[in-house]
Amino acid sequence: MDAINRNENELAPWRSPLARALHRNRSLVYSRYLQLATITSQGRPANRTIVFRGFRTKTNQIQFVTDARSQKFPQINHQPWGEACWYFPKSREQFRLAGHLTLVTQQETDASLAQDRLAMWQQLSDSARLQFTWPEPGQPRCDPFPEVAPEANQPVPNFCLLLLEPSQVDHLELRGEPQNRSSYTLQADRRWTVQALNP
Ligand SMILES: Cc1cc2nc3c(=O)[nH]c(=O)nc-3n(C[C@H](O)[C@H](O)[C@H](O)COP(=O)(O)O)c2cc1C
């Protein structure tokens, strides 16, 4: 087992294989889609596809956007632990990233997080922003839907930035005979350790 990284703000060691996978699969738009699992208040798993929106600057936090009215919101508030599962078809590798989830809402008091929420809203396309004006997700269908995109500079109240801070990463590469599997763990002293595993 190798111990690497003394500082949690340094690039975690799994960032370089993940960056390589993103690069190798860049021609596939769906390689930026992954599944994020959370836990319901009944202790059951809940899973959905979500778009990778890059890393938060100078951190190892993965960014997503979501709607504060969606089912995942109370789940994360109740149990802020999640796992992302991300398969890259071209390079045939899987990353499972487990860690703490943070919802950055309109009520955010941390100035840097509030700024990142605003910046993320401004980066979205009009069609992505429009979805946040649709009627309440998961409720019985009620047409018609709004068609005019909201203000590009000011997030709507239900817009959320969602952050996943991985503390355990499992990387499986199907290519290779035999396959390769590595486990990355953030230890209590904030160092990452890496262990090669049997696939
Ligand atoms: C390709 C694809 C990308 C999606 N991207 C997002 C996303 O970035 N954020 C999001 O909240 N939901 C996204 N969704 C919708 C979710 O999968 C899910 O249906 C929705 O968030 C409601 O989930 P919940 O009831 O568990 O909260 C996407 C769905 C698909 C198929």
Side-chain angles (χ1 to χ4, degrees):
M1 188 161 66
D2 299 325
I4 21 185
N5 274 36
R6 264 176 213 90
N7 183 337
E8 62 188 295
N9 291 325
E10 284 175 28
L11 228 52
W14 48 268
R15 291 283 300 272
S16 104
L18 182 58
R20 207 176 315 127
L22 278 161
H23 183 72
R24 287 185 179 152
N25 292 265
R26 66 191 180 285
S27 63
L28 307 173
V29 64
Y30 51 82
S31 68
R32 297 176 82 83
Y33 304 156
L34 50 91
Q35 278 66 49
L36 177 69
T38 51
I39 304 162
T40 70
S41 54
Q42 289 81 39
R44 296 185 180 173
N47 202 358
R48 80 285 291 160
T49 306
I50 198 163
V51 180
F52 166 66
R53 303 270 179 191
F55 281 88
R56 187 165 175 245
T57 312
K58 292 190 182 154
T59 75
N60 293 306
Q61 295 168 353
I62 302 175
Q63 302 182 115
F64 309 106
V65 302
T66 199
D67 195 312
R69 303 168 301 169
S70 68
Q71 293 303 303
K72 66 184 85 50
F73 189 89
Q75 291 163 10
I76 295 167
N77 266 334
H78 182 254
Q79 169 56 268
W81 190 256
E83 184 171 284
C85 188
W86 203 348
Y87 179 62
F88 292 91
K90 217 165 178 182
S91 51
R92 300 179 57 228
E93 57 194 308
Q94 168 185 269
F95 289 84
R96 288 192 289 168
L97 306 117
H100 190 270
L101 290 162
T102 303
L103 288 160
V104 184
T105 67
Q106 193 183 32
Q107 282 78 44
E108 182 59 57
T109 51
D110 179 297
S112 159
L113 287 172
Q115 174 54 39
D116 288 349
R117 172 177 174 267
L118 173 64
M120 182 59 75
W121 174 259
Q122 292 172 343
Q123 277 168 39
L124 293 184
S125 63
D126 276 343
S127 62
R129 281 192 286 259
L130 181 62
Q131 294 182 25
F132 289 90
T133 69
W134 289 353
E136 191 164 340
Q139 292 304 306
R141 179 101 185 183
C142 52
D143 291 316
F145 280 28
E147 287 174 5
V148 180
E151 170 61 46
N153 289 317
Q154 186 58 41
V156 292
N158 50 304
F159 173 72
C160 268
L161 173 65
L162 173 60
L163 304 171
L164 172 63
E165 169 109 54
S167 49
Q168 175 71 54
V169 177
D170 183 301
H171 180 207
L172 173 66
E173 297 170 281
L174 299 182
R175 277 205 184 131
E177 278 296 334
Q179 302 166 355
N180 291 304
R181 183 176 176 189
S182 304
S183 176
Y184 300 82
T185 306
L186 186 60
Q187 303 292 343
D189 65 1
R190 310 304 291 172
R191 282 181 203 223
W192 282 95
T193 54
V194 186
Q195 173 77 64
L197 300 178
N198 295 326

